[in-house]
Amino acid sequence: MNVNTMAIFWTIKAFLPSMIAKDHGHLVTIASIVGTLPAAGLVEYCASKFAAVGLHESITMELKTLNTTGVHTTLVQPTLIDTGMFKGVKFIHAPLTPQLVADRVVHAVQTNQQVICIPGILWILQFLKSILPFSFWIWFGRVTGGNTAMDTYVGRTKKDS
């Protein structure tokens, strides 16, 4: 929670007032798709990413209510990024490269996109979450392997760092 949520909170608290005063700036929140679509075996991580998404959406709503036109926000919701953090996890697709994610984030900032999902197909899942019952997602996690992806997790070791 300290990194995934509180660091975002304190960074926003430190920089946003100046951005609002100058009516210029861009807040980028790197969350995760598990900040919207939960996964088994990741309760704490999902909770911290749900908090990051909620914080980001609340700040965005406040900025729109204040009618700030020069302060923009972008929420980034990628799947697994190949940083070593989730080493050993078996996922439905290969991990995203850090360079791909960085390129997409830069493009999103340059074009003022409010939300990006990486890969883009995740938009469909987010939409479906709003209309399908939770029992569907339990079934979906079962058939895609999402509910057992963390079973092979080994994580980053000292040697990897």
Side-chain angles (χ1 to χ4, degrees):
M1 285 294 202
N2 282 336
V3 172
N4 291 338
T5 307
M6 295 309 296
I8 296 168
F9 174 79
W10 290 112
T11 302
I12 289 170
K13 197 160 178 67
F15 293 99
L16 187 58
S18 176
M19 289 180 184
I20 292 170
K22 295 174 183 171
D23 198 27
H24 182 76
H26 203 118
L27 293 174
V28 177
T29 302
I30 307 291
S32 169
I33 197 59
V34 299
T36 304
L37 302 168
L42 289 168
V43 172
E44 296 90 348
Y45 187 74
C46 289
S48 70
K49 294 302 184 175
F50 266 80
V53 170
L55 176 60
H56 179 90
E57 290 176 347
S58 296
I59 289 292
T60 300
M61 186 68 75
E62 283 199 26
L63 289 170
K64 298 302 177 193
T65 301
L66 292 172
N67 294 317
T68 59
T69 57
V71 180
H72 305 282
T73 63
T74 299
L75 174 63
V76 182
Q77 294 192 278
T79 58
L80 198 62
I81 303 172
D82 190 12
T83 62
M85 182 174 162
F86 288 104
K87 187 177 178 181
V89 172
K90 291 192 178 169
F91 201 60
I92 197 167
H93 65 79
L96 304 169
T97 66
Q99 187 63 54
L100 171 79
V101 176
D103 291 346
R104 298 267 176 93
V105 169
V106 168
H107 177 73
V109 169
Q110 291 172 335
T111 57
N112 285 327
Q113 293 178 53
Q114 287 190 325
V115 180
I116 62 168
C117 295
I118 311 169
I121 190 87
L122 296 174
W123 280 109
I124 294 168
L125 296 180
Q126 286 191 324
F127 170 73
L128 291 174
K129 184 180 181 211
S130 68
I131 61 173
L132 293 173
F134 192 72
S135 58
F136 169 83
W137 297 104
I138 295 169
W139 172 83
F140 186 77
R142 211 174 286 134
V143 299
T144 61
N147 290 349
T148 57
M150 291 299 292
D151 291 356
T152 54
Y153 170 74
V154 291
R156 187 180 292 152
T157 62
K158 281 266 191 206
K159 195 164 107 176
D160 295 335
S161 301

